[in-house]
């Protein structure tokens, strides 16, 4: 397999047209990102603010950066001018910081709420019940700068496909449940990575975050 262009094309060609493929470029050199840009790719995912801040100025302005990793509140100021979509809004405190800082900078940014699906304790995100409470308490959907677009989740690291499937199904259900309240902008269900994106697609994913299947293994 020829990485990353051929690998990207192969995945992209297998997807329905309305599914967005985010190339997760964390740890990958800028040359590899540029190769994909040259064949028309615009959506790239990074999980660290520092790395994103270094790479963003090296790419054309129409590159769409996706922040997919845990975001600390003290990095919000730095990340806002760089990103197209933040996938990892995982707490009420982070959400409030985003409201405050986006108003200050007058920057419109899309966000996804990250929901904790996996069995592992280490993953970030709202527990499904906590998210239901959160959206009942907060007025989320008419802010001038912060635009909630949907949900993101990561399945357990397991070979048990039935487990992964049930976690993605749970996320899809929560996404549908929230739709009536959220309105027309609620369109994005970010689920599926290199190892589980087939299952995610079957469960209604609209956005895949794929790294190693596009770039080859990561270069730490
Ligand atoms: C690294 C990462 C991915 C991509 O993982 P691969 O297994 O390389 O496809 C997707 N989502 C998040 C949040 C990540 O940190």
């Amino acid at each position: 397999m020829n990485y990353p262009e051929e690998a990207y094309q192969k995945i992209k060609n297998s997807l329905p047209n309305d599914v967005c493929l985010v190339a997760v470029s964390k740890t990958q050199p800028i040359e590899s990102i540029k190769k994909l840009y040259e064949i028309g790719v615009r959506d790239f995912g990074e999980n660290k603010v520092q790395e994103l801040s270094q790479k963003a100025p090296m790419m054309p302005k129409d590159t769409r950066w996706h922040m997919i990793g845990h975001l600390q509140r003290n990095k919000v100021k730095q990340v806002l001018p760089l990103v197209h979509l933040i996938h990892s809004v995982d707490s009420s405190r982070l959400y409030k910081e985003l409201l405050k800082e986006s108003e200050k900078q007058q920057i419109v940014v899309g966000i996804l709420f990250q929901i904790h699906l996996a069995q592992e304790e280490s993953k970030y995100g709202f527990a499904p019940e906590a998210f239901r409470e959160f959206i009942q308490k907060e007025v989320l959907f008419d802010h001038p700068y912060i635009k909630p677009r949907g949900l993101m989740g990561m399945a357990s690291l397991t070979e048990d496909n039935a487990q992964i499937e049930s976690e993605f199904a749970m996320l899809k259900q929560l996404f549908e449940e929230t739709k009536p309240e959220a309105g027309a902008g609620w369109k994005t269900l970010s689920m599926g990575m290199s190892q589980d994106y087939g299952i995610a697609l079957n469960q209604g994913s609209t956005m895949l975050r794929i790294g190693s299947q596009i770039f080859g293994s990561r270069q730490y």
Side-chain angles (χ1 to χ4, degrees), residues 24 26 47 68 152 154 193-194 209-212 218:
V24 175
K26 66 191 190 197
N47 69 337
I68 63 172
M152 182 272 246
M154 275 189 272
M193 317 181 8
S194 290
R209 309 176 313 273
I210 299 185
S212 38
R218 276 186 277 283

Side-chain angles (χ1 to χ4, degrees), residues 19-190:
V19 171
C20 177
L21 175 54
V22 177
V24 175
S25 52
K26 66 191 190 197
T27 79
Q28 304 294 345
I30 200 78
E31 294 73 35
S32 303
I33 301 174
K34 286 186 171 156
K35 281 183 191 163
L36 287 182
Y37 184 91
E38 278 159 22
I39 63 165
V41 180
R42 294 294 177 268
D43 293 280
F44 294 93
E46 291 284 338
N47 69 337
K48 297 212 166 79
V49 174
Q50 195 190 354
E51 192 173 337
L52 175 57
S53 304
Q54 284 167 357
K55 286 173 170 173
M58 294 192 261
M59 292 295 293
K61 283 274 180 286
D62 65 344
T63 306
R64 293 188 290 265
W65 293 103
H66 295 246
M67 177 62 196
I68 63 172
H70 176 62
L71 177 58
Q72 290 170 295
R73 279 175 295 145
N74 63 9
K75 300 277 171 66
V76 164
K77 186 189 277 194
Q78 193 183 346
V79 85
L80 272 181
L82 305 175
V83 284
H84 169 69
L85 184 66
I86 300 173
H87 293 226
S88 46
V89 179
D90 56 8
S91 72
S92 168
R93 292 165 80 199
L94 174 58
Y95 174 71
K96 286 185 178 143
E97 182 65 26
L98 285 162
L99 296 186
K100 203 174 78 186
E101 193 58 36
S102 66
E103 287 199 28
K104 214 186 266 177
Q105 300 191 24
Q106 304 199 327
I107 291 178
V108 176
V109 175
I111 63 167
L112 305 178
F113 295 104
Q114 183 174 355
I115 307 298
H116 180 109
L117 305 174
Q119 294 166 311
E120 295 99 59
E121 300 230 326
S122 62
K123 300 218 166 104
Y124 292 102
F126 287 88
E129 260 325 298
F131 182 70
R132 288 189 181 95
E133 281 170 33
F134 171 70
I135 59 172
Q136 270 161 24
K137 264 201 329 240
E138 303 288 336
V139 180
L140 295 180
F141 302 110
D142 55 9
H143 193 269
Y145 297 107
I146 293 297
K147 305 292 181 188
R149 300 286 185 222
L151 302 178
M152 182 272 246
M154 275 189 272
S156 297
L157 271 177
T158 174
E159 311 269 277
D160 181 354
N161 287 350
Q163 174 68 27
I164 296 172
E165 188 178 282
S166 78
E167 290 171 1
F168 285 153
M170 192 216 322
L171 190 62
K172 166 73 171 171
Q173 195 203 324
L174 190 56
F175 178 72
E176 293 297 333
E177 241 178 79
T178 313
K179 237 181 206 167
E181 195 171 343
W186 194 250
K187 285 187 183 143
T188 304
L189 186 53
S190 168

